[in-house]
């Protein structure tokens, strides 16, 4: 099992990091969980060897391993168990049991090298509680950006995510409350993809004017908006209404892809909830068709390949907690699904490191050199791989350790 390291006071970390087309030896000097300097030959932004520490500084020699910044999963559900939504919801009233289960899920992310996640919400506020567990209760886990309770139209898909709204006034009231407790919100603009009939999702939940008003109000409150949307109409409305990120996006059209590229909308395609079931058909519900799922995944791959070529911003999100999508480990499933869609492996890793941080508001993401972006003054976190993550498929079995700063732990 991968170790969890804490880069505390007076630490020198030795490893190999990537720069100028090759992996090179480097020493990262960490003091109190904060980068004090980077010592290495030819590394962009590296400081010189004059960074001083006490003579008894702790040397952590990981020079045989490949070090990258920790990964980011832009779409998870910490309230869900990856086996049964209904059973998970039944367990929510058991607060003590839920806390134990959530702590276990948080630990799974760290063991997988994931140091930052965005929770897509739940009606019980469990994602918000998970954020507090990591930030205030010293539970080991990734930093959690939590959306709280999602907005959706009453009577439509989303009852396990929030109370539902019956009017724009109710939506604005819910956003007023969200702005007091979070920085990101989720709006459901469609249902889920049918596993019985190819291409079927159902009609959009909100008209263009309604969704534009909701997103505009959220933006006025300083909230970033992720929009759950699949189906041509729902995705197109989400993009035109100003969504910051579109989640899922199955059956998107090429015209909407063009619009996403033009507007800078981020697409989080979440392959795993469908693609993972292809190898685990025993998890399918009665009447579901494996052929329909395969067709939907193949269609999605073609659309992602087109979006990649068109310059659409793409980020890695697993929808972990959905059936067949395990917390933590599934980030590597998602990476491989995106590679299989024709995206270069180094670009997928960039999406899982840099683009995810940009989506979630981490200022350190706005730098060149995403694999060696540590700078003095940053909190240090990273993941040590036993194999070159740019060369071949990787999994949790390839992780030697994940390093978190004391500020996260």
């Amino acid at each position: 099992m991968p170790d969890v390291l804490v880069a505390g006071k007076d630490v020198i970390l030795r490893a190999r990091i990537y720069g100028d087309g090759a992996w090179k030896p480097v020493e990262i000097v960490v003091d109190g969980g904060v980068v004090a300097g980077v010592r290495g030959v030819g590394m962009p932004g590296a400081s010189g060897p004059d960074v001083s520490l006490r003579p008894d500084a702790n040397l952590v020699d990981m020079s045989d391993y490949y070090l990258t910044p920790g990964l980011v999963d832009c779409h998870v559900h910490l309230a869900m168990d990856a086996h049964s939504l209904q059973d998970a919801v039944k367990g929510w009233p058991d607060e003590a049991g839920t806390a134990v289960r959530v702590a276990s899920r948080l630990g799974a992310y760290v063991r997988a090298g994931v140091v930052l996640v965005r929770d897509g919400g739940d009606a019980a506020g469990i994602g918000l509680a998970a954020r507090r567990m990591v930030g205030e209760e010293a539970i080991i886990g990734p930093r959690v950006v939590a959306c709280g309770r999602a907005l959706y139209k009453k009577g439509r898909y989303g009852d396990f995510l929030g109370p539902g709204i019956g009017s724009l006034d109710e939506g604005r009231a819910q956003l007023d409350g969200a702005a007091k407790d979070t920085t990101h919100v989720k709006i459901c603009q469609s249902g889920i993809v049918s596993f019985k009939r190819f291409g079927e999702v159902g009609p959009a939940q909100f008209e263009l004017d309604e969704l534009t008003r909701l997103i505009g109000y959220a933006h006025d409150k300083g909230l970033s908006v992720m929009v759950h949307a699949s189906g041509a109409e729902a995705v197109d409305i989400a993009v035109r209404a100003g969504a910051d990120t579109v989640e899922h996006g199955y059956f998107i059209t090429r015209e909407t892809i063009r619009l996403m590229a033009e507007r800078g909308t981020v697409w989080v395609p979440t392959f795993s909830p469908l693609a993972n079931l292809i190898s685990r058909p025993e998890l399918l519900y009665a009447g579901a068709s494996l052929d329909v799922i395969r067709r939907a995944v193949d269609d999605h791959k073609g659309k992602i390949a087109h979006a990649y070529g068109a310059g659409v911003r793409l980020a890695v999100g697993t929808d972990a907690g959905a059936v067949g999508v395990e917390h933590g480990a599934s980030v590597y499933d998602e990476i491989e699904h995106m590679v299989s869609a024709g995206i270069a492996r180094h670009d997928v890793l960039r999406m899982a490191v840099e683009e995810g941080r940009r989506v979630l508001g981490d200022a350190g993401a706005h730098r060149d050199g995403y694999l060696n972006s540590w700078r003095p003054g940053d909190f240090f976190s990273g993941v040590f791989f036993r194999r070159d993550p740019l060369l071949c498929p990787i999994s949790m079995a390839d992780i030697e350790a994940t390093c978190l700063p004391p500020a996260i732990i």
Side-chain angles (χ1 to χ4, degrees):
M1 181 178 294
D3 289 331
V4 179
L5 304 177
V6 182
K9 186 171 181 60
D10 291 354
V11 175
I12 298 175
L13 287 164
R14 286 180 179 167
R16 287 181 283 183
I17 65 176
Y18 193 82
D20 295 334
W23 292 92
K24 300 180 180 182
V26 69
E27 290 183 345
I28 299 179
V29 182
V30 182
D31 188 14
V34 176
V35 176
V38 182
R39 308 194 287 211
V41 179
M43 298 310 302
S47 58
D50 58 343
V51 178
S52 61
L53 289 174
R54 294 198 316 252
D56 61 346
N58 180 29
L59 174 64
V60 180
D61 190 353
M62 305 289 283
S63 52
D64 289 336
Y65 303 103
Y66 303 88
L67 171 64
T68 74
L71 306 182
V72 179
D73 190 333
C74 285
H75 191 137
V76 310
H77 288 280
L78 290 162
M80 294 160 57
D81 64 7
H83 302 290
S84 167
L85 172 60
Q86 292 75 19
D87 289 348
V89 172
K90 288 178 183 177
W92 290 353
D94 175 9
E95 293 184 7
T98 295
V100 170
R101 290 187 288 272
V102 170
S104 175
R105 293 163 194 164
L106 290 166
Y109 284 101
V110 176
R111 293 192 297 275
V114 177
V115 301
L116 179 59
V117 301
R118 179 175 58 175
D119 183 89
D122 60 90
I126 294 168
L128 292 168
R131 184 187 67 190
R132 292 191 292 272
M133 290 169 69
V134 175
E136 301 172 14
E137 300 174 19
I139 298 296
I140 293 178
R143 182 161 66 88
V144 178
V145 174
C147 289
R149 294 168 177 82
L151 282 77
Y152 70 96
K153 187 167 285 191
K154 285 181 180 177
R156 300 289 302 278
Y157 170 84
D159 60 351
F160 66 99
L161 295 171
I165 63 172
S167 67
L168 289 179
D169 284 343
E170 290 182 10
R172 284 188 281 264
Q174 188 170 329
L175 291 170
D176 286 339
K180 299 174 183 177
D181 204 25
T182 188
T183 57
H184 288 240
V185 294
K186 178 179 179 178
I187 299 177
C188 293
Q189 172 59 359
S190 76
I192 58 176
V193 174
S194 172
F195 292 176
K196 295 181 178 180
R197 290 171 289 278
F198 175 74
E200 184 173 300
V201 178
Q205 293 203 24
F206 297 100
E207 300 293 336
L208 176 59
D209 181 66
E210 292 176 312
L211 191 59
T212 300
R213 288 174 181 269
L214 286 173
I215 293 176
Y217 192 80
H219 286 165
D220 289 343
K221 291 287 180 178
L223 296 165
S224 179
V225 182
M226 60 188 294
V227 178
H228 164 116
S230 286
E233 179 191 26
V235 178
D236 190 67
I237 289 174
V239 175
R240 293 180 186 279
D244 295 291
T245 67
V246 169
E247 314 296 309
H248 317 305
Y250 285 83
F251 312 119
I252 189 175
T253 67
R254 290 199 169 199
E255 172 57 24
T256 303
I257 288 172
R258 182 198 64 75
L259 190 62
M260 291 179 92
E262 180 181 295
R263 296 193 172 195
T265 310
V266 179
W267 187 3
V268 184
T270 64
F271 274 102
S272 295
L274 272 69
N276 284 12
L277 293 175
I278 294 174
S279 59
R280 300 187 66 185
E282 72 278 5
L283 296 176
L284 293 176
Y285 60 74
S289 166
L290 201 56
D291 180 62
V292 167
I293 294 171
R294 286 196 183 100
R295 289 179 63 194
V297 170
D298 287 345
D299 182 81
H300 209 45
K301 287 182 179 180
K303 300 294 178 55
I304 290 293
H306 181 72
Y308 176 55
V312 171
R313 291 174 58 193
L314 297 163
V316 174
T318 62
D319 207 6
V323 173
V325 189
E326 301 292 340
H327 291 283
S330 288
V331 72
Y332 298 104
D333 297 333
E334 191 69 22
I335 287 171
E336 292 309 310
H337 296 321
M338 294 182 77
V339 169
S340 73
I343 305 177
R345 185 172 297 279
H346 67 83
D347 266 356
V348 178
L349 194 59
R350 178 191 61 77
M351 295 166 191
V353 170
E354 179 185 28
E355 191 65 68
R357 283 173 169 79
R358 292 178 66 189
V359 169
L360 272 58
D362 188 320
H366 302 280
R367 295 173 175 158
D368 294 331
Y370 72 95
L371 286 181
N372 51 64
S373 59
W374 299 281
R375 301 292 184 269
D378 291 346
F379 280 116
F380 178 77
S381 66
V383 55
F384 298 88
F385 291 101
R386 299 184 181 116
R387 296 193 297 168
D388 184 344
L390 297 175
L391 189 62
C392 57
I394 50 177
S395 69
M396 282 185 66
D398 297 306
I399 299 175
E400 179 66 17
T402 302
C403 190
L404 296 175
I408 292 181
I409 289 183

